[in-house]
Amino acid sequence: MRIMANYTLTLLSEGREETRRTDSGISLLEALQGFEDFDFDAPCGGKGTCGKCKVLVDGRLSPPEEQERKLLSAASLAKGVRLACLCRIEGDVSVTPLFSSSGARIVTHHAAFSGRVDPAVRLKRIELPEPTLEDQRSDELRLREILKDGNGEGMRPLPLSLVGALTLRMREGGGVTLGYAGDTLAAVFPGDAGPGYGIAVDIGTTTVVAYLLDLASGETIKAVSGLNLQKAWGGDVISRVQAAIDYGPEPLQKAVVNQLSRMIFRLIEENEIAWEDLRGISVAGNTVMMHLFAGIDPRHIAVSPFIPSFCGLRVEASSGAFPRLPAEVPVLLLPSISGFIGADITAGILSCKIRERDQPTLLIDIGTNGEIVLGNRERIVACSTAAGPAFEGANISRGVGGIPGAVNRISLDGDRIEFTTIGGLPPIGICGSGIIDLVSILVALGIIDEGGRLLPPDELPEGLADHLREMVAEEGFRLTADKEGHDLLFTPKDVREVQLAKASVAAGIDVLLEAYGIAVEEVDGIYLAGGFGSFIDTSSAVGIGLLPPELIDHIHPAGNTAGAGAAELLLSADAFAKIQDLASGVEYVELSASLRFQELYVERMFFPSLV
Ligand code: FES
């Protein structure tokens, strides 16, 4: 039972000083999650395993227990460093977060929209008769009659949010412009509204991006991005689902909706756009992110039979979805395909034009999960593999996200291993692209064997240069030292994590090829979505057996395909009309019950150069 207490928690973070009351006995992490708009990292979701929720504290907390002592040195503990999820509040405390992933690389670019600009929110200008003492019809009824719906028979009542906008606009005079999404009356704009502007949003588990679109020209005016502030509840989808089970979906919904609202404000205000010229907002994300955005408990997606609460295309009112915005516009939620293939993938299929292609084409989006799509104009199949967070650096001993100081590129120059870091800063860890490079090089040098064993010093291949031998220790491969002089060690367990992740994606590709009934040579090319696709070296990805060597010359980084698809939905009435059929037509292949996937997974555990 929680004991209410009069303790205060003071947050000192990047010029911010804020105090709130807190309960005693709860974890410091839980107390910190109560700060609104707080940028804090808790990658393992408070399980006490990642050691990254480091804070400097002054005040009364429970004494460190075994797990915290394991993850923090005695010197750090003596200085007042604690892990927020492993200590409990026992008095007034002030806290300074120590680990920050701010400054991370976020992919916002994507191919420009190339179709005909014909916005999904169609505009229809009407004049409404002034109400008089003699004409006592309600505003809604007056509108219905204008729309030739007689006395409203057969027409669904307008949502109250639109009735409010209608009344307001009518009294302003000068007529109104109705906005339709498909057949649905979705907005009432003042006067003779022009094409205006739209906002397309991609809610990723790690990052969020919002694009301001000119709905007359189809151009993207500006993009803003940030790390998804739900990261204070965990770095991956499963941690977020668990947090929604523990605390309800509301805190996670609030975190992302507030963050997006601020981004939308910034786009509108900094670009001097009038709020009444905003015509619509589109939203894409994976299925769990779509649920949390909507404030719906996603727990059933995470357990068999993995059923989401909703999947279909939706048109919502911004007063419900973004209550802080000073505009009433339609919010278009892109349709998901299944619990594991979300609206971000539907958006990717749309923007990569998979449905318009003659030759089968792969679309691969690798994050915590690896979503894979294979198809053309005739048929599209898709699966999701549990790629694990290895490629995001999350469960690698010295793994980090794509943040300044991360080793992002490793290459072999003769027999010398060279590397670069993001921003050219002293190394702090290795991010996904560096991890794939490193494993590829260690495989090529024979330091990792075919089965994925990182060889100990006494088993290294003959002919290996002395300086490379010296980099191999019993505990693993020592790439370099970090800026504090600690080894950047790549351990046998890290190799195992990469091996599991790459086998899972490679076997997923195999299963889809078999389901489609084609050989890999018949595939036209691979579109790699998101940050993973933008930053990895494709020959390293082929070198570890993640991607098929037959397609090495046909791999295309596609940027933020989810954002591109969300933008296309706003820019194209045709896309809006077809997107539900597009999503419903994708054949989802569930791998958890597939024996064939298990067989291929075991085969793909081997590294390719030695198979
Ligand atoms: Fe606290 Fe991972 S150790 S969030």
Side-chain angles (χ1 to χ4, degrees):
M1 187 181 83
R2 280 186 190 172
I3 305 160
M4 294 301 289
N6 203 13
Y7 295 144
T8 60
L9 175 63
T10 304
L11 174 64
L12 305 164
S13 173
E14 293 172 359
R16 170 177 178 177
E17 180 171 343
E18 195 177 328
T19 297
R20 64 186 292 265
R21 299 275 272 278
T22 187
D23 302 348
S24 77
I26 65 169
S27 79
L28 180 55
L29 176 62
E30 199 179 339
L32 287 170
Q33 286 164 345
F35 282 103
E36 220 171 273
D37 309 333
F38 179 37
D39 186 344
F40 188 68
D41 287 84
C44 73
K47 288 198 211 75
T49 54
C50 71
K52 288 181 178 162
C53 57
K54 279 184 194 165
V55 286
L56 185 65
V57 295
D58 185 12
R60 278 192 57 204
L61 293 166
S62 59
E65 291 180 9
E66 193 188 340
Q67 180 62 5
E68 201 176 1
R69 290 188 184 284
K70 221 156 79 184
L71 291 167
L72 290 177
S73 67
S76 295
L77 283 164
K79 276 189 222 151
V81 176
R82 301 295 301 267
L83 292 176
C85 70
L86 289 178
C87 55
R88 290 180 309 282
I89 304 253
E90 292 189 347
D92 294 344
V93 186
S94 68
V95 178
T96 307
L98 292 181
F99 181 84
S100 169
S101 52
S102 61
R105 293 178 304 179
I106 299 176
V107 171
T108 59
H109 69 270
H110 55 70
F113 175 64
S114 58
R116 189 170 76 86
V117 178
D118 176 24
V121 179
R122 293 171 183 268
L123 303 176
K124 177 177 179 173
R125 173 161 166 78
I126 56 164
E127 293 290 341
L128 287 167
E130 289 280 322
T132 63
L133 275 174
E134 291 71 41
D135 182 358
Q136 290 284 306
R137 292 171 303 167
S138 69
D139 296 336
E140 183 186 17
L141 191 52
R142 225 184 311 275
L143 175 67
R144 289 179 180 201
E145 290 187 4
I146 290 277
L147 297 177
K148 303 205 182 343
D149 283 297
N151 281 331
E153 278 174 34
M155 180 180 173
R156 275 183 301 149
L158 286 181
L160 287 175
S161 57
L162 286 191
V163 173
L166 176 70
T167 292
L168 188 70
R169 303 303 180 213
M170 276 181 74
R171 299 304 185 282
E172 285 169 354
V176 297
T177 301
L178 304 178
Y180 287 86
D183 295 333
T184 308
L185 177 54
V188 180
F189 301 111
D192 191 4
Y197 301 88
I199 304 270
V201 169
D202 163 33
I203 310 177
T205 308
T206 310
T207 59
V208 289
V209 187
Y211 300 88
L212 175 64
L213 309 170
D214 181 329
L215 297 183
S217 68
E219 282 169 19
T220 298
I221 299 169
K222 180 98 184 160
V224 292
S225 63
L227 293 166
N228 187 333
L229 292 186
Q230 290 175 347
K231 67 194 170 88
W233 285 267
D236 56 39
V237 167
I238 295 301
S239 310
R240 307 278 173 81
V241 173
Q242 188 57 50
I245 293 169
D246 293 344
Y247 309 115
E250 294 81 11
L252 291 105
Q253 179 192 31
K254 201 166 147 194
V256 75
V257 167
N258 285 352
Q259 181 177 18
L260 287 171
S261 299
R262 280 196 309 281
M263 292 164 84
I264 295 170
F265 258 98
R266 216 179 117 193
L267 286 171
I268 296 292
E269 298 292 344
E270 284 182 8
N271 292 283
E272 298 181 354
I273 286 170
W275 283 98
E276 66 242 34
D277 287 338
L278 184 61
R279 298 283 168 263
I281 300 170
S282 59
V283 180
N286 65 51
T287 313
V288 169
M289 289 302 113
M290 297 301 277
H291 278 56
L292 292 176
F293 170 74
I296 293 174
D297 187 338
R299 74 178 71 197
H300 301 294
I301 300 171
V303 290
S304 181
F306 315 113
I307 304 301
S309 300
F310 72 100
C311 263
L313 173 69
R314 304 188 70 87
V315 179
E316 301 289 337
S318 59
S319 51
F322 293 106
R324 290 183 177 182
L325 295 189
E328 182 61 273
V329 297
V331 178
L332 316 180
L333 305 191
L334 277 80
S336 299
I337 293 160
S338 72
F340 292 133
I341 306 279
D344 51 346
I345 301 302
T346 308
I349 295 171
L350 180 67
S351 64
C352 292
K353 307 200 181 315
I354 303 290
R355 184 109 244 174
E356 294 163 38
R357 293 176 185 275
D358 294 327
Q359 290 297 112
T361 303
L362 278 162
L363 166 66
I364 302 179
D365 187 352
I366 297 179
T368 312
N369 277 343
E371 286 103 6
I372 309 166
V373 174
L374 173 66
N376 65 356
R377 63 175 73 251
E378 282 161 20
R379 184 183 175 207
I380 301 177
V381 294
C383 69
S384 173
T385 66
F391 298 134
E392 298 192 323
N395 55 354
I396 301 294
S397 328
R398 296 305 309 269
V400 289
I403 59 178
V407 174
N408 62 334
R409 184 68 71 224
I410 306 175
S411 55
L412 205 53
D413 183 8
D415 60 7
R416 300 236 149 240
I417 290 184
E418 305 199 326
F419 65 85
T420 60
T421 63
I422 297 174
L425 298 174
I428 57 164
I430 314 176
C431 68
S433 53
I435 289 165
I436 293 172
D437 284 345
L438 182 58
V439 174
S440 171
I441 287 169
L442 296 181
V443 168
L445 289 171
I447 296 174
I448 294 177
D449 75 9
E450 72 226 336
R453 199 164 69 98
L454 204 152
L455 301 180
D458 57 350
E459 290 184 40
L460 291 172
E462 284 176 24
L464 194 69
D466 286 347
H467 65 273
L468 290 171
R469 284 179 181 279
E470 284 162 16
M471 296 171 88
V472 183
E474 288 295 340
E475 311 79 52
F477 184 83
R478 180 188 171 280
L479 177 65
T480 184
D482 67 16
K483 61 180 183 181
E484 278 146 16
H486 303 303
D487 283 350
L488 273 192
L489 202 64
F490 200 74
T491 68
K493 179 186 159 288
D494 297 336
V495 179
R496 185 77 177 159
E497 294 286 349
V498 172
Q499 202 177 6
L500 295 171
K502 74 101 185 175
S504 178
V505 173
I509 295 172
D510 291 341
V511 166
L512 288 193
L513 288 168
E514 287 190 2
Y516 214 84
I518 56 171
V520 67
E521 292 81 4
E522 293 173 73
V523 174
D524 194 40
I526 301 177
Y527 285 87
L528 287 182
F532 178 82
S534 298
F535 300 126
I536 60 156
D537 180 280
T538 48
S539 50
S540 294
V542 169
I544 66 167
L546 174 66
L547 299 177
E550 297 84 350
L551 298 176
I552 190 163
D553 295 326
H554 306 278
I555 298 173
H556 317 286
N560 188 336
T561 55
E568 185 163 341
L569 190 77
L570 275 178
L571 291 167
S572 166
D574 186 51
F576 183 84
K578 291 179 178 164
I579 197 156
Q580 184 58 61
D581 283 349
L582 176 72
S584 309
V586 175
E587 297 166 41
Y588 174 59
V589 181
E590 173 57 51
L591 297 182
S592 65
S594 164
L595 285 177
R596 184 64 184 138
F597 173 73
Q598 289 304 326
E599 283 169 17
L600 291 164
Y601 179 66
V602 172
E603 277 176 33
R604 291 295 185 178
M605 291 284 276
F606 289 90
F607 283 110
S609 56
L610 301 168
V611 170

